[in-house]
Amino acid sequence: MTADEWESLCDGCGLCCLVKIEDEDGGDVYNTSVACRQLDIESCRCRDYENRLSDVPMCIQVTVDNLPQLGWLPATCAYKCLYEGRSLPEWHHLITGDETSVHDAGVSAKWFAISEEYVHPEQLSDFILHDEGNQ
């Protein structure tokens, strides 16, 4: 798979751009409804994708090699689906031909995320998403 083909797998849900909290005792990772300041919440795309890794120290480049360590990725993530031998979700843009289908299906951060610019770091635990099937 070429780099462009790999990048095209991203469905634009923005869920990987949600700020995570790691339980120091158990090591569990929890998503919050707080999004990286670089996430354009309306489109669920990075405002500065090319420079994101240097601009946002906690940003992670998803690769075939690190997928096993990224258990916090949503079950619907195309990278995770293919890694686990599952099909892409029926709403995925590579199937529908429509990049907004992820939003139409209601599975993007667009509908609930708030930028980290508006949340004090000490408040992050107040924004933990508890009803997830991917923890």
Side-chain angles (χ1 to χ4, degrees):
M1 187 178 290
T2 68
D4 286 343
E5 289 170 332
W6 177 258
E7 290 290 324
S8 76
L9 290 175
C10 176
D11 59 33
C13 70
L15 298 176
C16 62
C17 299
L18 297 176
V19 176
K20 281 84 175 141
I21 297 175
E22 183 173 0
D23 181 332
E24 293 177 6
D25 298 327
D28 292 333
V29 177
Y30 300 96
N31 273 318
T32 69
S33 57
V34 178
C36 171
R37 63 183 164 75
Q38 286 292 5
L39 183 69
D40 176 327
I41 294 173
E42 182 66 23
S43 68
C44 287
R45 295 290 182 176
C46 186
R47 287 187 174 100
D48 191 9
Y49 189 76
E50 298 301 319
N51 298 305
R52 72 194 186 287
L53 298 174
S54 59
D55 183 50
V56 180
M58 296 301 290
C59 188
I60 295 175
Q61 173 76 43
V62 177
T63 67
V64 171
D65 294 332
N66 69 6
L67 270 170
Q69 290 82 44
L70 305 179
W72 47 262
L73 286 171
T76 56
C77 175
Y79 299 112
K80 190 172 188 173
C81 287
L82 294 182
Y83 178 77
E84 294 175 349
R86 296 183 287 120
S87 299
L88 295 177
E90 61 185 20
W91 46 259
H92 194 280
H93 69 90
L94 292 177
I95 295 172
T96 66
D98 179 1
E99 292 203 359
T100 65
S101 59
V102 64
H103 307 303
D104 296 339
V107 292
S108 74
K110 173 181 180 172
W111 306 114
F112 64 85
I114 180 172
S115 176
E116 69 181 334
E117 296 171 309
Y118 306 111
V119 177
H120 191 280
E122 291 180 11
Q123 295 176 309
L124 280 176
S125 62
D126 295 337
F127 293 88
I128 291 175
L129 296 173
H130 294 284
D131 191 25
E132 294 184 45
N134 62 335
Q135 291 183 4

